[in-house]
Structure formats: structure tokens, C-alpha cells
Amino acid sequence: MTDPRGHALVTGASSGIGEAIAREYARRGVPLVLTARRTDRLEALAAGLRVRVPVHVLPADLADPDAPARLVDAIAALGVPVRILVNNAGYGVPGRYLRSDWNTHAAFLQVMVGAVCELTWRLLPSIRDSGAGRILNVASFAALVPSADGQTLYAPVKAFMVKFSESLALENADAGVHATALCPGFTWSEFHDVTGTRAMMSKLPRWLWLEAADVARAGIDGVERGEVVVVPGAVYRALRVATRLMPERFLLRRMAKNSARIRSTE
């Protein structure tokens, strides 16, 4: 049965965790609005999902500061209410801070922070009005541990998404809104191909890797239960507990030792 209360907007839906979240919502009967830069990938995904639910495709490049407003206007023109917002769009900028020019960092911050905040602000009235609103912010396990060499902006923006979710959950509980930060560890996707770190990441043991479909289910189940922070996978939940018990100085030394092995830091 198609959920009559409103659509789910999934950003970065063309691959990886975003695509998996779109598929899982479709399986649960939630109609969708999908956005990402790659129109062909979105259309192919939508074609397969339309056998289950209505799906609208609205391509957008969230690195453009005007894109969030245009996207929300396009949704309004369709006449479909949004009750679920999935802020998933994102990527990594490999290497240390000075390796990239400022325009590269500015575009990254626009996608990872500016667009997240603006889309949430613009859609929050509709989400609150639904009576069963949900905001799922795809963060990272990197937000919960000391940052690594070569994660100068990535880990901080993911930590922001955790704190943002916490505040949204408190502020909007009166309207039945659940806000959740999904914090997966290493997940099979195109992420490391795009950043050019696939060869290094492939050196990690297989037991550290999560499947995108499992991450999607964990996030959606968690936001439905009203969990504010969701860490998928027993390994990562254990690591989270362990890192809370370890001295900060020890963790920073471990990060310094491991960063060069798995990341492009120059």
C-alpha cells in the first residue's frame, strides 16, 4: 500500500546508501522524490521503483547555492507533500586541507552543510504538518571518533549532522517528528572510487565493511523508532563503546598511525 501521508525526498539517490534508502522506502510503500546530479541514473532507478510507488525525479546539483530553493519550488509545483527528508547527498575531498583550492572546499561545504540546513528549513513546515514527519541525516561513524589525517572537513561536517539531528529531534518532537543521524562505518558503494581511495580502502578487512541495503534498513528502522543516533552493524556499535572508554590521546595516536595506511593524505 502506498503511504498516503506524504513523499520521501532522498538526496544523492543515484547510488550507494541513497539509492538503497530509496529502494527500501519504495519496498515499504512510501512515494518518492529523488534528486542527484546524474539524471540518467535517477531515471533508471525510478523506472524500477515505479512498479511499487509513485516516483518523481528532480535532478539538482546541491553545490549550487540556489539549488535547494529551486528544488523545493519544483516539489511544490508537483503538488506533493514531503513528510520524510533524507539528507544523504555527499562525497569526500581526499587529501590534506591545503591540497585542494578553496572553491573545492566551498562546494563541499555547500553540499554537506548549506544544502542540508536549507532543505531542512524549507521543508520542515510540511514535515511537521504531516503528523508523522521524519528527518534522516546520513552522517558517518567518523563523526563519533577522533578525526583522521586527511579528514579535515569530512569528519567535522558529519559531526555537525549528528548535533543538528539532536536539536531537530528535541525541537520538533511536539509535532511527532523524528530526526535521526545515521552513522555507518565503511560501506560498499562508489564513494571510495570517486575519491580515488579504492585501492587503499581495499586493504581493510572484509568484516569492517557494511552493505548499503543493511545500512538503509537500519537507518529507516531507527528513525521510525525515534532513535536520534543510529550506528549500523554490531562491529561498529562495539567500536563506539570501546572508543568512549579509551583516552583521547591514545585514540589520536592510533588515528595518526592508521591514516597513512588507508587514506590519501598528501
Side-chain angles (χ1 to χ4, degrees):
M1 296 292 291
T2 298
D3 192 321
R5 295 172 295 177
H7 286 56
L9 169 62
V10 183
T11 72
S14 61
S15 65
I17 294 173
E19 178 183 347
I21 288 173
R23 290 186 183 279
E24 182 62 18
Y25 269 127
R27 189 185 69 81
R28 299 181 188 211
V30 178
L32 296 163
V33 179
L34 306 179
T35 189
R37 291 178 302 165
R38 295 179 290 187
T39 305
D40 56 338
R41 295 285 292 269
L42 288 177
E43 291 290 0
L45 174 61
L49 299 183
R50 286 188 179 116
V51 299
R52 291 181 176 270
V53 294
V55 182
H56 300 279
V57 170
L58 295 174
D61 182 357
L62 295 178
D64 178 353
D66 295 328
R70 289 200 301 264
L71 179 58
V72 173
D73 287 346
I75 293 170
L78 290 173
V80 297
V82 171
R83 78 169 182 93
I84 300 169
L85 171 60
V86 181
N87 284 308
N88 166 77
Y91 60 100
V93 177
R96 290 175 173 166
Y97 197 40
L98 292 180
R99 176 179 174 179
S100 300
D101 61 32
W102 178 246
N103 287 339
T104 298
H105 291 314
F108 174 81
L109 290 170
Q110 172 59 31
V111 173
M112 305 290 279
V113 179
V116 168
C117 293
E118 185 173 354
L119 284 174
T120 303
W121 183 82
R122 290 184 179 279
L123 291 170
L124 192 54
S126 174
I127 292 168
R128 286 178 58 89
D129 288 347
S130 74
R134 306 288 185 258
I135 300 171
L136 182 58
N137 292 319
V138 180
S140 170
F141 191 74
L144 307 176
V145 296
S147 190
D149 185 350
Q151 281 193 346
T152 322
L153 290 181
Y154 183 81
V157 300
K158 293 301 189 179
F160 161 79
M161 293 185 81
V162 173
K163 308 310 289 186
F164 187 48
S165 302
E166 290 172 348
S167 291
L168 288 170
L170 291 173
E171 290 179 11
N172 295 284
D174 64 308
V177 174
H178 298 172
T180 296
L182 175 60
C183 298
F186 298 116
T187 303
W188 294 110
S189 71
E190 296 179 359
F191 181 89
H192 297 106
D193 299 308
V194 173
T195 59
T197 56
R198 172 60 61 198
M200 285 182 289
M201 302 310 293
S202 296
K203 299 175 184 177
L204 292 172
R206 293 186 65 85
W207 53 264
L208 275 177
W209 289 91
L210 303 170
E211 296 290 342
D214 295 334
V215 171
R217 283 192 296 272
I220 294 172
D221 288 344
V223 76
E224 287 302 315
R225 289 192 297 264
E227 296 180 26
V228 179
V229 177
V230 171
V231 179
V235 168
Y236 286 99
R237 289 193 291 273
L239 285 172
R240 187 186 185 199
V241 173
T243 55
R244 286 174 165 176
L245 300 176
M246 294 177 187
E248 193 81 3
R249 184 176 296 178
F250 171 80
L251 289 173
L252 286 170
R253 285 202 302 268
R254 294 301 301 174
M255 283 295 186
K257 182 177 180 179
N258 292 332
S259 291
R261 292 167 48 196
I262 64 172
R263 293 195 181 278
S264 175
T265 57
E266 297 304 323

